Amino acid sequence: EKGGYDHFMLKEIHEQPKAITDTFRGRMLHEEKIIKMSSIENHLDKFLNANRIIIVACGTSWHAGLVGEYLFEDMARIPVEVEYASEFRYRNPIITNKDVVIAISQSGETADTLAAIKLAKSKGAFVYGVCNVVGSSIARETHSGAYTHAGPEIGVASTKAFTTQITVLTLIAMKLGEANGSLAKHTFENYISKMQLIPRQVEELLKIDDKVKEIAEVYKDAKNCLYLGRGFNFPVALEGALKLKEISYIHAEGYPAAEMKHGPIALIDENMPIFVIATNRGHYEKVVSNIQEIKSRAGKIIAIVTEGDTTVKEIADHVIEIPDTEEALTPLLTTIPFQLLSYHIAVMLGKNVDQPRNLAKSVTVE
Ligand code: F6R
């Protein structure tokens, strides 16, 4: 049942090229250069006339929502807020019938997310679901939605659900950007060609497993780790830290790289591994200068860079290369090494990777 893998988590990490391809299927038509999503087309006026989009979710799905914020604002120029479902529902939030709420949930059963949806509906908002489990409570409770076709996710730590959620959000952002004219035709078509390459690029990236294992060996006994990223990759830093916490029980924090100097920099010494996403687009020089600040305080740097990078390679203690793509699509790639890293560290520490202590796959109580 684990398809020859030692754990469901590793199997699911390796299923991502297929999961992403399945999530494209019938929606992103590469040859025709169109995105076909009836769940959006049938409610296009709701999205295009929305005052704002509010994304509600918990945990990893909330991280996908944060990537969604960057995608929607960048590609479709629609204002977005991302909320923890548990905070949103108890805050007496301001919601009107001009708001579109997108609820993201792998299981479709998360109690807080479900309650947030009911609240939003009662205030007249249009609610769209992004779920993995077909026929789940959230899928049934929403006005419309799109499934992530990740297949069953058994490992408690979410992996392929996260990348397929980002895939769906990217397709929606592209679709809306095209519909409201925010994305020029050639930009839209370029995104389609680059998206089409992602599953193969993830496949390539999965081959770096041995390299990640070497890094895991060096840092597995760390007590604390920092994960840093900017822009589209800030949520990936949060997700990287969450994965490490969940399955290896090592304390880790994700931060936007520039926030480091507002506090966390005080933690840095020679025992602190810092995982930095430093791909070659968007804020590259800024991230390089963040890396230099860390280096001058003796922190250990493990950097994710774009293949062919030379600058970061000279400063970092370890680098992991990802294939080149558009900045907006990098989260689908930068996430992969962090998943593998958490997995290997947890295995080396003898932890129960698929069923970490205190965690449940679906959180049906608040
Ligand atoms: C992390 C993880 C949790 C879930 C969260 C929401 O690996 O699995 O943080 O992401 O409990 O679950 P869903 O997406 O089912 O609503």
Side-chain angles (χ1 to χ4, degrees):
E1 52 178 5
K2 292 183 195 140
Y5 292 99
D6 290 343
H7 299 94
F8 282 111
M9 183 181 176
L10 190 60
K11 172 174 178 264
E12 289 160 6
I13 289 173
H14 281 267
E15 280 171 349
Q16 289 175 111
K18 178 175 185 302
I20 295 169
T21 306
D22 289 347
T23 302
F24 286 162
R25 187 162 297 122
R27 292 174 174 154
M28 193 177 79
L29 309 184
H30 176 234
E31 306 269 298
E32 294 90 329
K33 296 193 184 350
I34 53 171
I35 290 175
K36 235 175 69 178
M37 292 181 83
S38 53
S39 61
I40 299 291
E41 284 148 27
N42 294 343
H43 307 281
L44 200 57
D45 56 320
K46 292 274 183 208
F47 283 93
L48 297 188
N49 298 322
N51 281 342
R52 56 178 181 165
I53 293 175
I54 306 167
I55 300 179
V56 294
C58 303
T60 290
S61 297
W62 182 78
H63 295 154
L66 284 178
V67 177
E69 174 177 23
Y70 285 83
L71 289 166
F72 283 95
E73 297 203 346
D74 185 55
M75 294 184 179
R77 308 303 296 152
I78 301 172
V80 177
E81 284 168 37
V82 189
E83 306 267 1
Y84 284 117
S86 56
E87 285 298 312
F88 178 78
R89 62 181 287 207
Y90 287 119
R91 206 185 53 222
N92 191 13
I94 300 162
I95 314 167
T96 73
N97 59 5
K98 294 278 278 176
D99 291 321
V100 168
V101 171
I102 300 181
I104 308 173
S105 176
Q106 186 287 127
S107 64
E109 301 298 341
T110 301
D112 281 317
T113 310
L114 189 57
I117 292 170
K118 290 183 175 159
L119 175 67
K121 276 172 78 181
S122 75
K123 308 257 184 193
F126 175 76
V127 185
Y128 188 94
V130 177
C131 295
N132 193 44
V133 176
V134 176
S136 55
S137 304
I138 291 175
R140 282 184 280 117
E141 196 63 44
T142 41
H143 294 116
S144 181
Y147 285 112
T148 48
H149 296 289
E153 192 180 64
I154 311 289
V156 164
S158 190
T159 53
K160 61 178 181 171
F162 179 66
T163 44
T164 54
Q165 286 164 347
I166 294 175
T167 301
V168 166
L169 294 169
T170 308
L171 297 182
I172 299 174
M174 288 165 63
K175 175 97 199 150
L176 295 177
E178 189 207 22
N180 70 12
S182 303
L183 274 187
K185 189 172 157 62
H186 68 273
T187 315
F188 174 79
E189 292 182 353
N190 175 49
Y191 275 130
I192 291 192
S193 329
K194 296 290 164 62
M195 270 302 252
Q196 181 72 15
L197 297 176
I198 293 284
R200 225 178 315 142
Q201 293 179 321
V202 172
E203 194 85 65
E204 267 315 294
L205 204 40
L206 288 167
K207 295 187 189 144
I208 59 162
D209 210 31
D210 282 346
K211 169 126 211 214
V212 176
K213 241 188 219 168
E214 280 169 29
I215 297 172
E217 190 62 55
V218 178
Y219 298 105
K220 67 180 193 313
D221 298 314
K223 295 283 167 276
N224 297 286
C225 299
L226 267 184
Y227 284 73
L228 304 177
R230 298 179 80 118
F232 287 96
N233 283 296
F234 153 54
V236 176
L238 297 182
E239 174 61 8
L242 179 64
K243 283 295 83 100
L244 190 69
K245 279 185 270 211
E246 281 182 298
I247 60 168
S248 68
Y249 318 145
I250 294 173
H251 175 244
E253 280 192 73
Y255 260 95
E259 271 295 306
M260 196 186 57
K261 59 170 76 67
H262 299 283
I265 199 164
L267 292 167
I268 295 176
D269 62 16
E270 66 284 0
N271 299 315
M272 177 73 120
I274 297 146
F275 299 91
V276 189
I277 303 162
T279 49
N280 69 2
R281 319 235 176 162
H283 325 295
Y284 179 71
E285 284 78 22
K286 305 243 185 256
V287 177
V288 170
S289 82
N290 295 143
I291 292 176
Q292 279 155 342
E293 286 159 6
I294 298 167
K295 228 30 245 176
S296 65
R297 286 157 184 89
K300 296 284 185 294
I301 307 269
I302 306 92
I304 297 185
V305 300
T306 309
E307 58 193 4
D309 179 281
T310 49
T311 314
V312 175
K313 239 177 226 168
E314 275 176 23
I315 331 171
D317 297 273
H318 308 266
V319 293
I320 296 171
E321 292 191 332
I322 64 151
D324 188 48
T325 188
E326 292 303 326
E327 188 195 356
L329 310 185
T330 51
L332 291 167
L333 302 179
T334 51
T335 302
I336 311 293
F338 286 162
Q339 295 172 341
L340 290 170
L341 182 87
S342 308
Y343 172 78
H344 288 303
I345 290 182
V347 170
M348 286 169 189
L349 296 177
K351 306 300 183 203
N352 186 343
V353 175
D354 283 335
Q355 283 194 300
R357 67 185 182 203
N358 310 337
L359 295 178
K361 185 66 188 160
S362 107
V363 185
T364 53
V365 290
E366 63 171 292

